[in-house]
Short mmCIF file of all heavy atoms in Angstrom, two decimals:
data_model
loop_
_atom_site.label_atom_id
_atom_site.label_comp_id
_atom_site.label_asym_id
_atom_site.label_seq_id
_atom_site.Cartn_x
_atom_site.Cartn_y
_atom_site.Cartn_z
N MET A 173 24.63 64.52 46.55
CA MET A 173 25.70 63.62 46.18
C MET A 173 26.12 63.96 44.75
O MET A 173 25.28 64.05 43.87
CB MET A 173 25.19 62.16 46.27
CG MET A 173 26.22 61.14 45.92
SD MET A 173 25.68 59.39 45.92
CE MET A 173 24.96 59.16 47.51
N THR A 174 27.43 64.10 44.58
CA THR A 174 27.94 64.39 43.24
C THR A 174 27.93 63.11 42.39
O THR A 174 27.77 62.00 42.91
CB THR A 174 29.38 64.93 43.29
OG1 THR A 174 30.25 63.89 43.75
CG2 THR A 174 29.49 66.15 44.19
N LYS A 175 28.15 63.28 41.10
CA LYS A 175 28.16 62.14 40.20
C LYS A 175 29.27 61.16 40.59
O LYS A 175 29.06 59.95 40.63
CB LYS A 175 28.36 62.63 38.76
CG LYS A 175 28.40 61.53 37.75
CD LYS A 175 28.66 62.05 36.36
CE LYS A 175 28.82 60.89 35.41
NZ LYS A 175 29.27 61.30 34.09
N ARG A 176 30.47 61.67 40.90
CA ARG A 176 31.60 60.81 41.28
C ARG A 176 31.33 60.11 42.61
O ARG A 176 31.67 58.94 42.78
CB ARG A 176 32.89 61.62 41.38
CG ARG A 176 33.38 62.14 40.05
CD ARG A 176 33.93 61.07 39.16
NE ARG A 176 35.24 60.66 39.63
CZ ARG A 176 35.89 59.58 39.22
NH1 ARG A 176 35.35 58.81 38.31
NH2 ARG A 176 37.06 59.26 39.70
N GLN A 177 30.72 60.81 43.55
CA GLN A 177 30.37 60.20 44.83
C GLN A 177 29.36 59.07 44.62
O GLN A 177 29.45 58.02 45.25
CB GLN A 177 29.83 61.23 45.81
CG GLN A 177 30.87 62.18 46.32
CD GLN A 177 30.29 63.35 47.10
OE1 GLN A 177 29.07 63.56 47.12
NE2 GLN A 177 31.16 64.12 47.71
N LYS A 178 28.42 59.29 43.72
CA LYS A 178 27.41 58.27 43.40
C LYS A 178 28.09 57.04 42.79
O LYS A 178 27.75 55.90 43.12
CB LYS A 178 26.36 58.86 42.44
CG LYS A 178 25.35 57.86 41.92
CD LYS A 178 24.30 57.53 42.93
CE LYS A 178 23.17 56.75 42.28
NZ LYS A 178 22.98 55.44 42.87
N GLU A 179 29.06 57.27 41.90
CA GLU A 179 29.79 56.16 41.29
C GLU A 179 30.53 55.36 42.37
O GLU A 179 30.50 54.13 42.35
CB GLU A 179 30.79 56.68 40.27
CG GLU A 179 30.17 57.23 39.01
CD GLU A 179 31.19 57.90 38.09
OE1 GLU A 179 32.41 57.74 38.30
OE2 GLU A 179 30.76 58.60 37.17
N LEU A 180 31.17 56.06 43.30
CA LEU A 180 31.88 55.37 44.38
C LEU A 180 30.91 54.63 45.28
O LEU A 180 31.15 53.48 45.64
CB LEU A 180 32.72 56.36 45.20
CG LEU A 180 33.50 55.76 46.37
CD1 LEU A 180 34.47 54.67 45.89
CD2 LEU A 180 34.22 56.85 47.14
N PHE A 181 29.81 55.26 45.62
CA PHE A 181 28.80 54.61 46.47
C PHE A 181 28.27 53.35 45.79
O PHE A 181 28.15 52.30 46.44
CB PHE A 181 27.65 55.58 46.77
CG PHE A 181 26.57 54.95 47.59
CD1 PHE A 181 26.74 54.75 48.96
CD2 PHE A 181 25.38 54.54 47.00
CE1 PHE A 181 25.74 54.16 49.72
CE2 PHE A 181 24.38 53.95 47.75
CZ PHE A 181 24.57 53.76 49.12
N ASP A 182 27.98 53.43 44.51
CA ASP A 182 27.49 52.25 43.77
C ASP A 182 28.54 51.14 43.76
O ASP A 182 28.21 49.96 43.90
CB ASP A 182 27.10 52.63 42.35
CG ASP A 182 25.85 53.48 42.29
OD1 ASP A 182 25.09 53.54 43.29
OD2 ASP A 182 25.62 54.11 41.23
N TYR A 183 29.80 51.51 43.59
CA TYR A 183 30.89 50.52 43.59
C TYR A 183 30.97 49.84 44.96
O TYR A 183 31.04 48.61 45.04
CB TYR A 183 32.23 51.17 43.24
CG TYR A 183 33.38 50.22 43.37
CD1 TYR A 183 33.58 49.20 42.45
CD2 TYR A 183 34.27 50.32 44.43
CE1 TYR A 183 34.63 48.30 42.58
CE2 TYR A 183 35.32 49.43 44.57
CZ TYR A 183 35.50 48.43 43.64
OH TYR A 183 36.53 47.53 43.79
N ILE A 184 30.95 50.63 46.02
CA ILE A 184 31.02 50.08 47.38
C ILE A 184 29.83 49.16 47.63
O ILE A 184 29.98 48.05 48.16
CB ILE A 184 31.07 51.20 48.44
CG1 ILE A 184 32.38 51.99 48.32
CG2 ILE A 184 30.91 50.64 49.84
CD1 ILE A 184 32.40 53.28 49.12
N SER A 185 28.64 49.59 47.23
CA SER A 185 27.42 48.79 47.44
C SER A 185 27.49 47.45 46.72
O SER A 185 27.17 46.41 47.29
CB SER A 185 26.19 49.56 46.97
OG SER A 185 26.02 50.73 47.70
N SER A 186 27.90 47.48 45.46
CA SER A 186 27.94 46.23 44.69
C SER A 186 29.06 45.31 45.20
O SER A 186 28.88 44.10 45.28
CB SER A 186 28.10 46.50 43.20
OG SER A 186 29.34 47.10 42.93
N TYR A 187 30.19 45.88 45.58
CA TYR A 187 31.29 45.09 46.13
C TYR A 187 30.84 44.42 47.41
O TYR A 187 31.08 43.23 47.62
CB TYR A 187 32.49 46.02 46.40
CG TYR A 187 33.79 45.31 46.70
CD1 TYR A 187 34.76 45.17 45.73
CD2 TYR A 187 34.05 44.80 47.97
CE1 TYR A 187 35.97 44.54 46.00
CE2 TYR A 187 35.24 44.15 48.26
CZ TYR A 187 36.20 44.03 47.27
OH TYR A 187 37.39 43.40 47.55
N TRP A 188 30.16 45.19 48.26
CA TRP A 188 29.66 44.66 49.54
C TRP A 188 28.66 43.53 49.31
O TRP A 188 28.70 42.50 49.97
CB TRP A 188 29.03 45.79 50.35
CG TRP A 188 28.68 45.39 51.75
CD1 TRP A 188 27.54 44.78 52.16
CD2 TRP A 188 29.48 45.52 52.92
NE1 TRP A 188 27.57 44.54 53.52
CE2 TRP A 188 28.76 44.98 54.00
CE3 TRP A 188 30.74 46.05 53.16
CZ2 TRP A 188 29.26 44.95 55.29
CZ3 TRP A 188 31.23 46.02 54.44
CH2 TRP A 188 30.49 45.48 55.49
N ALA A 189 27.76 43.73 48.35
CA ALA A 189 26.73 42.72 48.06
C ALA A 189 27.35 41.42 47.55
O ALA A 189 26.89 40.33 47.90
CB ALA A 189 25.75 43.27 47.04
N GLU A 190 28.41 41.53 46.75
CA GLU A 190 29.05 40.34 46.18
C GLU A 190 29.92 39.59 47.19
O GLU A 190 29.97 38.37 47.19
CB GLU A 190 29.93 40.74 44.99
CG GLU A 190 29.15 41.17 43.77
CD GLU A 190 30.06 41.68 42.66
OE1 GLU A 190 31.29 41.45 42.72
OE2 GLU A 190 29.54 42.33 41.75
N ARG A 191 30.63 40.35 48.05
CA ARG A 191 31.65 39.73 48.89
C ARG A 191 31.35 39.74 50.38
O ARG A 191 31.96 39.00 51.13
CB ARG A 191 32.99 40.42 48.65
CG ARG A 191 33.51 40.19 47.24
CD ARG A 191 34.74 41.04 46.97
NE ARG A 191 35.26 40.84 45.64
CZ ARG A 191 34.85 41.48 44.56
NH1 ARG A 191 33.90 42.37 44.66
NH2 ARG A 191 35.39 41.24 43.39
N GLY A 192 30.45 40.60 50.82
CA GLY A 192 30.12 40.65 52.25
C GLY A 192 31.05 41.52 53.07
O GLY A 192 30.97 41.54 54.29
N TYR A 193 31.94 42.23 52.41
CA TYR A 193 32.82 43.18 53.09
C TYR A 193 33.18 44.30 52.12
O TYR A 193 32.96 44.18 50.91
CB TYR A 193 34.09 42.50 53.63
CG TYR A 193 34.90 41.74 52.60
CD1 TYR A 193 35.90 42.36 51.87
CD2 TYR A 193 34.66 40.39 52.35
CE1 TYR A 193 36.63 41.67 50.92
CE2 TYR A 193 35.38 39.69 51.41
CZ TYR A 193 36.38 40.34 50.70
OH TYR A 193 37.10 39.65 49.76
N ALA A 194 33.73 45.38 52.66
CA ALA A 194 33.99 46.57 51.85
C ALA A 194 35.30 46.44 51.07
O ALA A 194 36.21 45.73 51.48
CB ALA A 194 34.07 47.79 52.76
N PRO A 195 35.39 47.16 49.96
CA PRO A 195 36.67 47.20 49.23
C PRO A 195 37.68 48.03 50.01
O PRO A 195 37.32 48.89 50.81
CB PRO A 195 36.29 47.89 47.92
CG PRO A 195 35.11 48.72 48.25
CD PRO A 195 34.37 47.97 49.31
N SER A 196 38.95 47.77 49.76
CA SER A 196 40.00 48.58 50.38
C SER A 196 40.06 49.93 49.65
O SER A 196 39.53 50.09 48.55
CB SER A 196 41.35 47.88 50.26
OG SER A 196 41.77 47.82 48.90
N TYR A 197 40.72 50.89 50.28
CA TYR A 197 40.89 52.20 49.63
C TYR A 197 41.64 52.05 48.31
O TYR A 197 41.35 52.73 47.34
CB TYR A 197 41.62 53.17 50.56
CG TYR A 197 40.73 53.85 51.57
CD1 TYR A 197 39.66 53.20 52.15
CD2 TYR A 197 40.96 55.16 51.94
CE1 TYR A 197 38.84 53.82 53.07
CE2 TYR A 197 40.14 55.80 52.87
CZ TYR A 197 39.09 55.11 53.42
OH TYR A 197 38.28 55.75 54.33
N GLU A 198 42.61 51.14 48.28
CA GLU A 198 43.36 50.89 47.06
C GLU A 198 42.46 50.37 45.95
O GLU A 198 42.54 50.81 44.80
CB GLU A 198 44.46 49.88 47.36
CG GLU A 198 45.69 50.05 46.53
CD GLU A 198 46.82 49.19 47.05
OE1 GLU A 198 47.21 49.35 48.22
OE2 GLU A 198 47.30 48.36 46.25
N GLU A 199 41.57 49.43 46.29
CA GLU A 199 40.64 48.89 45.30
C GLU A 199 39.66 49.96 44.82
O GLU A 199 39.32 50.02 43.64
CB GLU A 199 39.88 47.70 45.89
CG GLU A 199 40.76 46.49 46.12
CD GLU A 199 40.10 45.42 46.97
OE1 GLU A 199 39.29 45.75 47.87
OE2 GLU A 199 40.43 44.24 46.76
N MET A 200 39.21 50.81 45.75
CA MET A 200 38.32 51.90 45.36
C MET A 200 39.02 52.87 44.42
O MET A 200 38.45 53.29 43.41
CB MET A 200 37.82 52.66 46.59
CG MET A 200 36.82 51.90 47.43
SD MET A 200 36.19 52.93 48.77
CE MET A 200 36.92 52.14 50.18
N ALA A 201 40.27 53.20 44.72
CA ALA A 201 41.03 54.12 43.88
C ALA A 201 41.20 53.54 42.48
O ALA A 201 41.02 54.25 41.48
CB ALA A 201 42.39 54.41 44.51
N LEU A 202 41.53 52.27 42.41
CA LEU A 202 41.67 51.60 41.11
C LEU A 202 40.37 51.64 40.31
O LEU A 202 40.36 51.96 39.13
CB LEU A 202 42.09 50.15 41.31
CG LEU A 202 43.53 49.80 41.05
CD1 LEU A 202 43.84 48.40 41.53
CD2 LEU A 202 43.87 49.96 39.60
N ALA A 203 39.28 51.30 40.96
CA ALA A 203 37.97 51.26 40.30
C ALA A 203 37.54 52.64 39.81
O ALA A 203 36.89 52.76 38.77
CB ALA A 203 36.92 50.70 41.24
N MET A 204 37.92 53.68 40.55
CA MET A 204 37.51 55.04 40.21
C MET A 204 38.51 55.74 39.29
O MET A 204 38.27 56.85 38.84
CB MET A 204 37.32 55.87 41.48
CG MET A 204 36.22 55.35 42.39
SD MET A 204 34.59 55.39 41.62
CE MET A 204 34.34 57.14 41.45
N GLY A 205 39.66 55.10 39.05
CA GLY A 205 40.68 55.72 38.20
C GLY A 205 41.39 56.87 38.88
O GLY A 205 41.83 57.81 38.24
N ILE A 206 41.50 56.78 40.21
CA ILE A 206 42.16 57.83 40.98
C ILE A 206 43.53 57.29 41.40
O ILE A 206 43.64 56.16 41.86
CB ILE A 206 41.31 58.21 42.22
CG1 ILE A 206 40.00 58.82 41.75
CG2 ILE A 206 42.07 59.15 43.14
CD1 ILE A 206 39.02 59.12 42.86
N VAL A 207 44.55 58.13 41.25
CA VAL A 207 45.91 57.70 41.52
C VAL A 207 46.22 57.59 43.01
O VAL A 207 46.85 56.65 43.46
CB VAL A 207 46.93 58.65 40.84
CG1 VAL A 207 48.35 58.27 41.18
CG2 VAL A 207 46.72 58.66 39.34
N SER A 208 45.72 58.54 43.80
CA SER A 208 46.09 58.56 45.22
C SER A 208 44.95 58.08 46.11
O SER A 208 43.78 58.32 45.85
CB SER A 208 46.49 59.97 45.64
OG SER A 208 45.36 60.81 45.69
N LYS A 209 45.35 57.41 47.20
CA LYS A 209 44.36 56.96 48.17
C LYS A 209 43.78 58.14 48.94
O LYS A 209 42.67 58.05 49.45
CB LYS A 209 44.97 55.94 49.12
CG LYS A 209 45.18 54.58 48.48
CD LYS A 209 45.59 53.54 49.48
CE LYS A 209 47.09 53.55 49.63
NZ LYS A 209 47.57 52.49 50.53
N SER A 210 44.51 59.25 48.99
CA SER A 210 43.98 60.43 49.69
C SER A 210 42.75 60.99 48.97
O SER A 210 41.84 61.51 49.62
CB SER A 210 45.05 61.50 49.85
OG SER A 210 45.45 62.01 48.60
N GLY A 211 42.72 60.87 47.66
CA GLY A 211 41.54 61.30 46.90
C GLY A 211 40.32 60.47 47.27
O GLY A 211 39.21 60.99 47.42
N ILE A 212 40.51 59.17 47.41
CA ILE A 212 39.42 58.28 47.82
C ILE A 212 39.02 58.59 49.25
O ILE A 212 37.83 58.61 49.58
CB ILE A 212 39.84 56.80 47.68
CG1 ILE A 212 39.85 56.40 46.22
CG2 ILE A 212 38.92 55.87 48.46
CD1 ILE A 212 38.49 56.44 45.52
N HIS A 213 40.00 58.86 50.09
CA HIS A 213 39.71 59.20 51.49
C HIS A 213 38.78 60.41 51.56
O HIS A 213 37.81 60.40 52.33
CB HIS A 213 41.00 59.46 52.26
CG HIS A 213 40.77 59.88 53.67
ND1 HIS A 213 40.35 59.00 54.64
CD2 HIS A 213 40.85 61.10 54.26
CE1 HIS A 213 40.20 59.67 55.78
NE2 HIS A 213 40.50 60.93 55.57
N ARG A 214 39.05 61.42 50.76
CA ARG A 214 38.19 62.62 50.74
C ARG A 214 36.77 62.28 50.28
O ARG A 214 35.79 62.77 50.83
CB ARG A 214 38.79 63.70 49.85
CG ARG A 214 39.95 64.44 50.48
CD ARG A 214 40.35 65.67 49.68
NE ARG A 214 40.78 65.36 48.31
CZ ARG A 214 42.01 65.03 47.97
NH1 ARG A 214 42.95 64.94 48.89
NH2 ARG A 214 42.32 64.78 46.72
N MET A 215 36.67 61.42 49.27
CA MET A 215 35.34 61.03 48.78
C MET A 215 34.58 60.22 49.82
O MET A 215 33.39 60.43 50.03
CB MET A 215 35.46 60.25 47.47
CG MET A 215 35.94 61.10 46.31
SD MET A 215 36.14 60.15 44.79
CE MET A 215 34.44 59.87 44.34
N VAL A 216 35.26 59.30 50.48
CA VAL A 216 34.62 58.49 51.53
C VAL A 216 34.20 59.39 52.69
O VAL A 216 33.10 59.24 53.24
CB VAL A 216 35.54 57.34 52.01
CG1 VAL A 216 34.99 56.67 53.25
CG2 VAL A 216 35.74 56.32 50.90
N LYS A 217 35.05 60.33 53.04
CA LYS A 217 34.73 61.27 54.12
C LYS A 217 33.46 62.06 53.77
O LYS A 217 32.59 62.25 54.61
CB LYS A 217 35.89 62.22 54.37
CG LYS A 217 35.68 63.14 55.52
CD LYS A 217 36.90 64.02 55.77
CE LYS A 217 36.60 64.98 56.90
NZ LYS A 217 37.69 65.95 57.10
N ALA A 218 33.35 62.51 52.52
CA ALA A 218 32.17 63.26 52.09
C ALA A 218 30.92 62.38 52.17
O ALA A 218 29.86 62.83 52.62
CB ALA A 218 32.36 63.79 50.67
N LEU A 219 31.02 61.12 51.75
CA LEU A 219 29.89 60.19 51.84
C LEU A 219 29.51 59.93 53.29
O LEU A 219 28.33 59.81 53.62
CB LEU A 219 30.21 58.87 51.12
CG LEU A 219 30.28 58.92 49.60
CD1 LEU A 219 30.78 57.58 49.06
CD2 LEU A 219 28.94 59.27 48.99
N THR A 220 30.52 59.86 54.15
CA THR A 220 30.28 59.65 55.58
C THR A 220 29.56 60.85 56.19
O THR A 220 28.59 60.69 56.93
CB THR A 220 31.60 59.38 56.32
OG1 THR A 220 32.24 58.24 55.73
CG2 THR A 220 31.37 59.12 57.79
N GLU A 221 30.04 62.04 55.87
CA GLU A 221 29.43 63.26 56.40
C GLU A 221 27.98 63.41 55.97
O GLU A 221 27.16 63.96 56.69
CB GLU A 221 30.24 64.48 55.97
CG GLU A 221 31.58 64.59 56.69
CD GLU A 221 32.48 65.68 56.12
OE1 GLU A 221 32.14 66.28 55.07
OE2 GLU A 221 33.54 65.93 56.73
N ARG A 222 27.67 62.92 54.79
CA ARG A 222 26.30 63.01 54.26
C ARG A 222 25.42 61.83 54.70
O ARG A 222 24.26 61.76 54.37
CB ARG A 222 26.34 63.13 52.75
CG ARG A 222 26.87 64.47 52.28
CD ARG A 222 27.06 64.50 50.78
NE ARG A 222 27.46 65.80 50.30
CZ ARG A 222 28.71 66.28 50.34
NH1 ARG A 222 29.68 65.56 50.87
NH2 ARG A 222 28.98 67.48 49.87
N GLY A 223 26.02 60.86 55.41
CA GLY A 223 25.25 59.75 55.96
C GLY A 223 25.01 58.58 55.01
O GLY A 223 24.22 57.70 55.32
N PHE A 224 25.71 58.54 53.88
CA PHE A 224 25.52 57.45 52.93
C PHE A 224 26.29 56.20 53.33
O PHE A 224 25.90 55.09 52.99
CB PHE A 224 25.90 57.88 51.52
CG PHE A 224 25.00 58.94 50.95
CD1 PHE A 224 25.44 60.24 50.81
CD2 PHE A 224 23.70 58.64 50.59
CE1 PHE A 224 24.61 61.23 50.30
CE2 PHE A 224 22.86 59.61 50.08
CZ PHE A 224 23.32 60.91 49.94
N VAL A 225 27.43 56.38 54.01
CA VAL A 225 28.23 55.25 54.50
C VAL A 225 28.72 55.60 55.91
O VAL A 225 28.69 56.76 56.31
CB VAL A 225 29.46 54.93 53.60
CG1 VAL A 225 29.02 54.53 52.21
CG2 VAL A 225 30.44 56.08 53.57
N ASN A 226 29.18 54.59 56.62
CA ASN A 226 29.84 54.79 57.91
C ASN A 226 31.26 54.29 57.77
O ASN A 226 31.55 53.43 56.94
CB ASN A 226 29.13 54.02 59.02
CG ASN A 226 27.75 54.57 59.30
OD1 ASN A 226 27.52 55.77 59.25
ND2 ASN A 226 26.81 53.69 59.58
N SER A 227 32.14 54.82 58.60
CA SER A 227 33.53 54.42 58.55
C SER A 227 34.02 54.15 59.97
O SER A 227 33.72 54.92 60.88
CB SER A 227 34.37 55.52 57.91
OG SER A 227 35.71 55.12 57.78
N LEU A 228 34.74 53.06 60.14
CA LEU A 228 35.27 52.69 61.44
C LEU A 228 36.75 53.03 61.47
O LEU A 228 37.55 52.37 60.80
CB LEU A 228 35.07 51.19 61.70
CG LEU A 228 33.63 50.68 61.51
CD1 LEU A 228 33.60 49.17 61.57
CD2 LEU A 228 32.74 51.28 62.57
N PRO A 229 37.15 54.07 62.21
CA PRO A 229 38.55 54.50 62.20
C PRO A 229 39.52 53.43 62.67
O PRO A 229 39.22 52.66 63.59
CB PRO A 229 38.58 55.69 63.17
CG PRO A 229 37.17 56.00 63.50
CD PRO A 229 36.33 54.84 63.10
N GLY A 230 40.66 53.36 62.00
CA GLY A 230 41.71 52.45 62.41
C GLY A 230 41.53 51.00 62.00
O GLY A 230 42.28 50.13 62.42
N LYS A 231 40.53 50.72 61.19
CA LYS A 231 40.29 49.34 60.75
C LYS A 231 40.41 49.24 59.23
O LYS A 231 40.00 50.14 58.52
CB LYS A 231 38.90 48.87 61.18
CG LYS A 231 38.70 48.83 62.67
CD LYS A 231 37.45 48.12 63.02
CE LYS A 231 37.85 46.74 63.41
NZ LYS A 231 36.81 45.85 63.75
N ALA A 232 40.95 48.15 58.76
CA ALA A 232 41.03 47.90 57.33
C ALA A 232 39.63 47.61 56.80
O ALA A 232 38.80 47.02 57.49
CB ALA A 232 41.95 46.72 57.05
N ARG A 233 39.37 48.01 55.58
CA ARG A 233 38.07 47.79 54.93
C ARG A 233 36.94 48.26 55.85
O ARG A 233 36.00 47.55 56.15
CB ARG A 233 37.90 46.33 54.55
CG ARG A 233 38.95 45.87 53.58
CD ARG A 233 38.77 44.42 53.19
NE ARG A 233 39.84 43.96 52.34
CZ ARG A 233 39.82 43.99 51.01
NH1 ARG A 233 38.79 44.46 50.38
NH2 ARG A 233 40.85 43.55 50.31
N SER A 234 37.10 49.49 56.32
CA SER A 234 36.23 50.01 57.39
C SER A 234 34.95 50.69 56.91
O SER A 234 34.18 51.17 57.72
CB SER A 234 37.03 51.00 58.23
OG SER A 234 37.39 52.13 57.46
N VAL A 235 34.73 50.75 55.62
CA VAL A 235 33.53 51.40 55.11
C VAL A 235 32.36 50.42 55.20
O VAL A 235 32.43 49.31 54.69
CB VAL A 235 33.73 51.87 53.65
CG1 VAL A 235 32.46 52.50 53.11
CG2 VAL A 235 34.89 52.85 53.56
N VAL A 236 31.31 50.85 55.90
CA VAL A 236 30.12 50.00 56.02
C VAL A 236 28.90 50.77 55.59
O VAL A 236 28.84 52.00 55.71
CB VAL A 236 29.94 49.47 57.47
CG1 VAL A 236 31.03 48.51 57.84
CG2 VAL A 236 29.88 50.61 58.47
N LEU A 237 27.93 50.08 55.08
CA LEU A 237 26.68 50.70 54.68
C LEU A 237 25.75 50.76 55.89
O LEU A 237 25.65 49.78 56.63
CB LEU A 237 26.03 49.91 53.54
CG LEU A 237 26.89 49.77 52.29
CD1 LEU A 237 26.21 48.84 51.30
CD2 LEU A 237 27.18 51.10 51.66
N PRO A 238 25.10 51.90 56.10
CA PRO A 238 24.20 52.02 57.28
C PRO A 238 22.99 51.12 57.18
O PRO A 238 22.61 50.66 56.17
CB PRO A 238 23.79 53.48 57.29
CG PRO A 238 24.25 54.08 56.01
CD PRO A 238 25.14 53.10 55.32
#
């Protein structure tokens, strides 16, 4: 896991713990200082491929912790 992926994973984890659901891609992009949602999509995809998070296609706030 890269440093940026770790930062995103930590953000998702803490957001989930506080609210009981995942942040939107827009909220993740804002928190990470990334302008485009496609950049966040690539990071989430990398975390998914490595097994750190799961993603439910076609659903809003679809990032879930395994």
Side-chain angles (χ1 to χ4, degrees):
M173 181 183 307
T174 67
K175 180 182 174 188
R176 292 289 285 167
Q177 289 170 351
K178 174 78 169 120
E179 289 172 13
L180 179 59
F181 178 76
D182 290 344
Y183 174 73
I184 294 168
S185 297
S186 65
Y187 192 101
W188 189 274
E190 290 174 15
R191 294 172 180 86
Y193 55 89
S196 68
Y197 276 36
E198 211 169 301
E199 291 167 329
M200 288 185 249
L202 256 170
M204 297 298 294
I206 296 174
V207 176
S208 71
K209 286 188 272 184
S210 65
I212 286 296
H213 177 73
R214 283 191 299 274
M215 291 178 73
V216 170
K217 184 178 177 186
L219 289 173
T220 302
E221 288 172 352
R222 289 173 175 81
F224 294 108
V225 299
N226 293 323
S227 183
L228 308 171
K231 297 192 99 182
R233 299 181 184 268
S234 65
V235 178
V236 293
L237 302 173

